[in-house]
Structures are given as structure tokens and as C-alpha cells.
Amino acid sequence: MSKHTVLFELGCEELPPKSLKTLRDALKAETEKGLKDAGLNFATIEAYAAPRRLALKIVDVDAAQADTQKRFDGPAVQAAYDAEGKPTKALEGFMRGQGITVDQVSTFQAGKVEKVCYLKDVKGQNLDQLLPQILQNALDNLPIAKRMRSAASRTEFVRPVKWVVLLKDDQVVDATIQDHKAGNVTYGHRFHAPEAITLANADAYLDALRKAYVIANFEERQAIIDGQVKALADEVNATAIVPSDLRDEVTSLVEWPVALRASFEERFLAVPQEALITSMQDNQKYFCLVNAEGKLQPYFITVSNIESKDPQQIIEGNEKVVRPRLSDAEFFFLQDQKQPLASRKTKLANMVFQAQLGTLWNKSERIAKLAVELAKITGATAADAEKAALLAKCDLTSELVGEFPELQGIAGTYYARLEGENDEVAEALGEQYLPKFAGDVLPKTKTGTTIALADRLDTLTGIFGIGQAPTGSKDPFALRRSAIGILRLVTENNLDVSIEALIKLALAAYGDVLKDHYKTLADAVAFLEGRYRAKYEDQGVAVDVIQAVQALSPKSPLDFDKRVNAVNHFRNLPEAAALAAANKRVANILAKEATPEGAVVEVNLVETAEKALFAELQAITPVVEPLLAAKDYTEALSKLAALRAPIDAFFDGVMVMAEDAELKANRLRLLAQLRGLFTSVADISVLQH
């Protein structure tokens, strides 16, 4: 069957930059699905997207569907013919319905019954007939939140459609898509090449547009921008900050990228650089430049959609636009400094944290109380912890944070430094919000760790204390994320403390604000323990490893972490599968039989295999016990792996359920001792192999 190359282009008014890539990928996926459903094979689909167009090139697609046979079922053969083999009324009715004669009737086996049928040859439709509907369906299924209608057209799209190209090799396919008759005419850059361009064939698309100042391939355009931005940054010994969302957005805004470097007055560098960067990225779509130390430089890069004869004009225009933005940030920064951080507590006393739990100042006082206690665990200085806690929320009332909410904490750090606070206190104000998301960095200072823990514990305990635990997808205080933050802060800082002890400290800071301390403690502890699974699954740990540790309900996150790491290491040992199976067998036996009191009686060991296992246990126990005491679980399990052979030999050669009651009791004690050694780390009988 012959193959063709098809080009489809939808020309529109400028598409929304934040969803351009999504629209392109969805159009490709929907078209692939449509072609597959129609039974049309193809080699590849290349998808293109620029501000004024979405396009697809379908390579080596079938010219038509394959011819098929469709089966129409009739009555059973028994009911279709009479004793003389003549058609019955039932068969005549079937033939009439299908418009066929008796010689066109076939039969087939339907289970145990043979039935008559008509096998009708169905000619496959050709590509030209199928394509318009496949493409229109794909467009109708695009993820568009708001569709627009333009002029008199009834069809809707995300932006007004201006032209449609649909070519099969060099032939225009007769089609109307989005109320536009398809042709072979496209348009280039709005200013550089506004004239119509006639495409000779489907393969001519990319080059014809390139000549007309349009780079239709998104990735190619992005690579050009990356190269230009790097070159401009290198010229001033700087590195550009290029967040991936902004990079995609800028790529979606231009058809012919021309990056230009502009500058701003150095005096603005006195303002917290996070505020300047946020302003330039969010409002102007600029790339900011930093030096090797990560300090902002007085430059920015803008990506223009035009190759100007006088680029200096564009540069100056952008400098003029950015100046008032930076002046605003500078004004807020200077205004804030007129009022010391500590004096802002009066404003915090008027800001509600949660109706039943009081104001942000109440919260600050609780965090301070809690931080002093936590400092004993984290190793922070109590005075620093208390000071940082009382200042922690003060910057929420500042002008700078009012304008740039993402600067909460960061602004506080700047103001605390300007007021001469020590590094521990100043840094902690920014670090209190870490980690912000899964995999984010943790605070570097001990005071920061203390405040980050205190803040999360206070919120978690308070919200549980008023019975507002997260349900389903509702989690307004982000307690699930917060809980994983608590677990990480404890384990990654090697803090040896139980979850229960932490919640009790938080409850003590609340005092009688919370009524039922007993229930709150139980609920909050259960919630935190329930987050282990999410935390470790995020790290790629298998569920059965987590369950093997959960079976023991370790009290402290640090202990839990060490056990998980040990089991994770153990499951990759060659002996793991056999030992997990043996442990399961032991657990099943001990579950059915009550283990007799007392130690194993050596004289009652009669079989060679049980003597060998007992000797092995006696030898290994004194080696493993100090490892367990030191919480070196990984080494303990590695040593226990040596028991594989004697355990296998025991089950091969010894009948546990012996008729002699003494022998049976002794064997159960032996298994209980064995099981006790393993379960002092985790329940490895849970491991799946």
C-alpha cells in the first residue's frame, strides 16, 4: 500500500503561552489515537508549535484503511433449514434483511451451536475521507478551559482561527476544519514576513517558515534561546537564572527569538535580590543574571520577537519599563526598615492564625515556648531559638512581603541582619519554611531546624486538637506535606526523639487552649506515623519494606529510618528470599501454637539439624545484640543472613510438631528465639519475593 506525508497546520491569533506546549502535545496524542482507531498505520508524527500556529507532520501514513470483512449473524443452522434442506422463514427473513441470496450465506461456530451468517466485504475508506474528521475530533478534545467563538463562526477554539493548511504530499486535501477551508497557504512572521506563503508540499513546511522568520519547532526555538542567553551572560561573566516554566513561556511568546541584554542601576542591588528577581521574572518575563556566588548582577536578558535594525531602542524601552518595578521594591524595603521587626508584634496580634487557635502572635508565643524545649533536642541555643521564634512571623506584616508573598521569611532574614541579629537568628527566619516541598533542602542552622520543627508541630497539633484533621483531598493547612517535613527534619538531623514526645511538647505549649490532650496526642501521633509510607515511597522504597518495619511500630522517626535502610539493604542479599520465606513459616507455626515459657533445653535437642541451628543461634546472638543496642540494624541483619543454611536444614530434617510434648515445646522455643532475633529489626516475613 502506498504511503504519504501529511501536513496539518492551524493558524490562529497568538495562543496562550502558558499552555502552548500542552496544546501541541495533546493535538499530537489525540491525532495518534484517531489514526490508530481508524486502522491507519504511520511511521511518526512531528508536532510543531509557535505563538500563531499548531502543526503536525504525519510521516508515512497509509493511503487508505485495509479492506475488511464484516460478519452479520443469523439464526442457528438447525433453525435455518427444514428437513429437505430448504430455507425456513427464519433464514428467509435474515436474507431479506441483508439483501442477499441463499448462495451468499455462510456458517460459523458460535460456542456449541453452528449459526448462519453473511460475510460482507467492506472496502477501506481512503485517507482523504478520514483525515478531516480525525483532525477535527483531535481539536475538539484539546484541554482548553475557555473556548472562544470568533466573528460569525459557530465553531469554538482557544483563539480565533485564521487559516488551515492540510496537505497530502503536494495535494491539498478537500476539508473544512474549524469552519475554514483547508489550503496550501500559510503565513510567516507577523512583521518580518506578513505575505502569504504557498507550500509546495508537506515536507517544505519548516524551511518555508524559517525563510519567513518563524522557527516552528518548539525545541529548536528553545535551543536558540538557550544559546543566545548563555552567550550574553558569558560576556559579563554571569550565569542566567532560567526556571523551566519561564523558559517554556518565553519560547511560547516568540516566533523568531532575539535575546538582548539590558541593565539597571546598581543602587537597586541593595534591595533583597529575591524581590528584584521575582519582579523581573513574573511581570516582565526577563532572565536575571547572577555571579558565581549567586549574587544578582545589574543586568537582565529579554527575548524579543523581532530582529530590530536598532536593538538599542528595544533595550532602552525595556530598561524604562523595569525601572518603576524595581523602584517599588526599593520603596517597600526602605519603608519597612523604619519599623524594627520586634515592634511588629502588635500587628501580628490582630492577624488571625485560626479562629479557635488565636492570632499569629499567640502562635509566635507558643512556638517560642516550644522552641526552647526543642533546643535541648536539636542542640540549638535556647536564647537564639526563643528570639528567632518571636521574630519568625513579624515580616508577614511588612510592605515587602505584602507585595511579594513568596519573600516571607527571606525578608525577615534581611531585616534581622540589618538590625544586627546574629547569624543563627537571622538565618532561622528564612529557614523556618524549609522544606517547602518534597525533596527540598532542609535548614542549615540548628536554630532554623528548631523553628521549622516548632512551627509545623504547633500547626499540626492545634488543627488536630480542634478536630479538623485533613479529610480526602481537603488539607487547607497542608498537614500532609508538613508531617513529611517533620519526619525529614528529625531523621536527617539525627534527632533521637519519639513522635509522642514531640507532640507532648507542642501540647504543653498550647496549655488549656486545647481541651482533650489525650485524644489529640493519639490522633496526631497516628497521623504522623501514617505518613511514613508516603515519605519512603517518594524515595523509591518498596511498600513491603515499609510494612516490615511498620509491623514493629518503632516510636522514633530516626529508629524507623535506620530499620528501613537496614531492610532495604537486606532484601538485596542472596539469602533474603529464603529467609523471608522461613520467617513466614516460623510466624505461621508460632501463631497457631502458644510458645512455652522458658529457654531452650539443650539436652532435649535430638536431631542434628536442630542442634546445629541452636549452636548457630548461641554463637550469633552475642554478636548481634550489641549491634541492635547500637541501632546498627543493617549490620545486624547482614550477620543474621548467615542463618539461612541452618534454618533450611532444620525445616528439611526436623518435625516441629513432634508427638513428644517435650520435644515439641523445645522446638517451639527454638523457633521463638530465632524469630525474636529477626523481629528485633523488622518483620521480614512480610517481604515479598
Side-chain angles (χ1 to χ4, degrees), residues 145 471 513 544:
T471 54
V513 173
D544 57 340

Side-chain angles (χ1 to χ4, degrees), residues 341-481:
L341 269 178
S343 70
R344 295 177 176 274
K345 71 178 194 188
T346 47
K347 281 192 181 162
L348 286 179
N350 293 319
M351 293 169 79
V352 174
F353 162 57
Q354 200 283 337
Q356 292 168 260
L357 303 175
T359 65
L360 278 172
W361 182 245
N362 298 142
K363 181 176 179 63
S364 301
E365 290 189 306
R366 285 195 304 270
I367 292 176
K369 205 168 162 185
L370 179 51
V372 169
E373 293 304 315
L374 288 173
K376 299 170 188 166
I377 299 164
T378 60
T381 308
D384 285 346
E386 186 172 32
K387 183 75 168 284
L390 292 172
L391 294 177
K393 304 300 174 195
C394 288
D395 72 353
L396 296 178
T397 72
S398 68
E399 304 265 350
L400 200 59
V401 174
E403 184 66 19
F404 303 105
E406 57 277 29
L407 262 68
Q408 58 173 25
I410 295 167
T413 292
Y414 277 92
Y415 297 141
R417 280 222 182 89
L418 288 165
E419 289 172 23
E421 294 292 353
N422 71 30
D423 270 355
E424 280 276 324
V425 171
E427 286 297 318
L429 303 189
E431 290 179 336
Q432 64 177 311
Y433 297 106
L434 300 177
K436 289 179 183 159
F437 48 85
D440 190 18
V441 293
L442 295 185
K444 288 193 175 67
T445 67
K446 287 182 173 165
T447 310
T449 300
T450 310
I451 306 302
L453 259 177
D455 190 8
R456 287 170 175 78
L457 286 166
D458 176 79
T459 302
L460 185 100
T461 307
I463 300 300
F464 270 89
I466 57 170
Q468 307 234 339
T471 54
S473 60
K474 286 197 176 67
D475 187 4
F477 284 86
L479 295 186
R480 293 186 180 98
R481 190 172 66 217

Side-chain angles (χ1 to χ4, degrees), residues 26-228:
L27 179 61
K28 179 182 175 181
E30 290 291 341
T31 304
E32 278 183 349
K33 185 174 173 295
L35 291 168
K36 282 184 178 137
D37 290 349
L40 292 168
N41 301 307
F42 57 90
T44 53
I45 297 186
E46 291 168 27
Y48 310 120
R52 300 169 64 211
R53 66 202 76 233
L54 290 170
L56 298 173
K57 187 165 101 171
I58 309 167
V59 181
D60 285 347
V61 62
D62 290 346
Q65 293 170 321
D67 295 339
T68 53
Q69 262 195 341
K70 198 162 180 199
R71 191 183 79 200
F72 295 92
D73 298 358
V77 173
Q78 268 182 313
Y81 300 97
D82 60 18
E84 283 105 62
K86 291 207 174 72
T88 60
K89 283 220 171 6
L91 180 57
E92 279 174 353
F94 173 66
M95 292 192 299
R96 222 176 13 255
Q98 297 298 336
I100 55 170
T101 52
V102 76
D103 55 342
Q104 289 171 282
V105 173
S106 308
T107 62
F108 75 105
Q109 199 67 33
K112 293 184 178 162
V113 185
E114 196 182 6
K115 284 186 165 185
V116 298
C117 65
Y118 166 45
L119 298 170
K120 184 180 184 180
D121 291 326
V122 180
K123 187 131 185 62
Q125 286 183 282
N126 67 25
L127 187 59
D128 298 34
Q129 291 167 297
L130 295 162
L131 258 181
Q133 195 52 54
I134 289 173
L135 292 167
Q136 186 62 60
N137 284 348
L139 292 172
D140 292 344
N141 286 328
L142 291 188
I144 298 169
K146 280 188 180 159
R147 290 177 179 262
M148 292 171 67
R149 239 185 243 166
S150 49
S153 165
R154 302 293 303 153
T155 57
E156 298 174 327
F157 196 58
V158 62
R159 289 288 182 270
V161 174
K162 294 295 186 188
W163 73 87
V164 172
V165 173
L166 187 54
L167 284 174
K168 181 178 80 176
D169 303 327
D170 57 356
Q171 301 294 307
V172 173
V173 176
D174 182 22
T176 300
I177 292 172
Q178 293 292 139
D179 274 357
H180 283 263
K181 186 119 184 68
N184 59 355
V185 175
T186 184
Y187 294 86
H189 193 285
R190 202 185 268 285
F191 305 112
H192 284 309
E195 308 77 31
I197 302 161
T198 303
L199 295 169
N201 57 48
D203 283 320
Y205 181 69
L206 286 182
D207 287 340
L209 282 183
R210 189 176 277 107
K211 288 194 184 90
Y213 290 82
V214 175
I215 307 287
N217 184 321
F218 191 95
E219 277 72 27
E220 186 188 340
R221 216 162 53 249
Q222 195 153 68
I224 291 169
I225 292 171
D226 290 345
Q228 293 179 349

Side-chain angles (χ1 to χ4, degrees), residues 186-372:
T186 184
Y187 294 86
H189 193 285
R190 202 185 268 285
F191 305 112
H192 284 309
E195 308 77 31
I197 302 161
T198 303
L199 295 169
N201 57 48
D203 283 320
Y205 181 69
L206 286 182
D207 287 340
L209 282 183
R210 189 176 277 107
K211 288 194 184 90
Y213 290 82
V214 175
I215 307 287
N217 184 321
F218 191 95
E219 277 72 27
E220 186 188 340
R221 216 162 53 249
Q222 195 153 68
I224 291 169
I225 292 171
D226 290 345
Q228 293 179 349
V229 168
K230 187 179 184 318
L232 289 172
D234 287 348
E235 284 172 19
V236 289
N237 289 327
T239 307
I241 304 173
V242 185
S244 63
D245 287 356
L246 181 61
R247 179 172 171 247
D248 281 350
E249 195 177 343
V250 169
T251 308
S252 304
L253 282 164
V254 295
E255 297 197 309
W256 190 257
V258 179
L260 300 165
R261 189 183 62 245
S263 57
F264 58 84
E265 288 90 325
E266 297 226 4
R267 70 183 172 92
F268 289 124
L269 293 174
V271 180
Q273 69 179 50
E274 293 84 353
L276 304 180
I277 292 170
T278 297
S279 185
M280 289 193 268
Q281 285 179 351
D282 293 1
N283 301 313
Q284 312 309 140
K285 313 302 172 198
Y286 295 155
F287 296 118
C288 300
L289 298 182
V290 291
N291 67 7
E293 283 76 56
K295 195 163 167 22
L296 188 65
Q297 301 298 289
Y299 305 104
F300 60 90
I301 291 173
T302 179
V303 179
S304 159
N305 188 27
I306 205 158
E307 208 164 281
S308 172
K309 292 191 174 59
D310 184 5
Q312 197 50 40
Q313 261 195 314
I314 297 181
I315 289 171
E316 283 168 15
N318 279 285
E319 289 175 347
K320 210 159 138 190
V321 169
V322 84
R323 198 169 293 118
R325 297 272 184 192
L326 303 184
S327 297
D328 283 352
E330 180 185 48
F331 173 75
F332 296 136
F333 182 57
L334 294 171
Q335 279 299 99
D336 285 341
Q337 289 172 57
K338 293 177 181 169
Q339 192 186 348
L341 269 178
S343 70
R344 295 177 176 274
K345 71 178 194 188
T346 47
K347 281 192 181 162
L348 286 179
N350 293 319
M351 293 169 79
V352 174
F353 162 57
Q354 200 283 337
Q356 292 168 260
L357 303 175
T359 65
L360 278 172
W361 182 245
N362 298 142
K363 181 176 179 63
S364 301
E365 290 189 306
R366 285 195 304 270
I367 292 176
K369 205 168 162 185
L370 179 51
V372 169

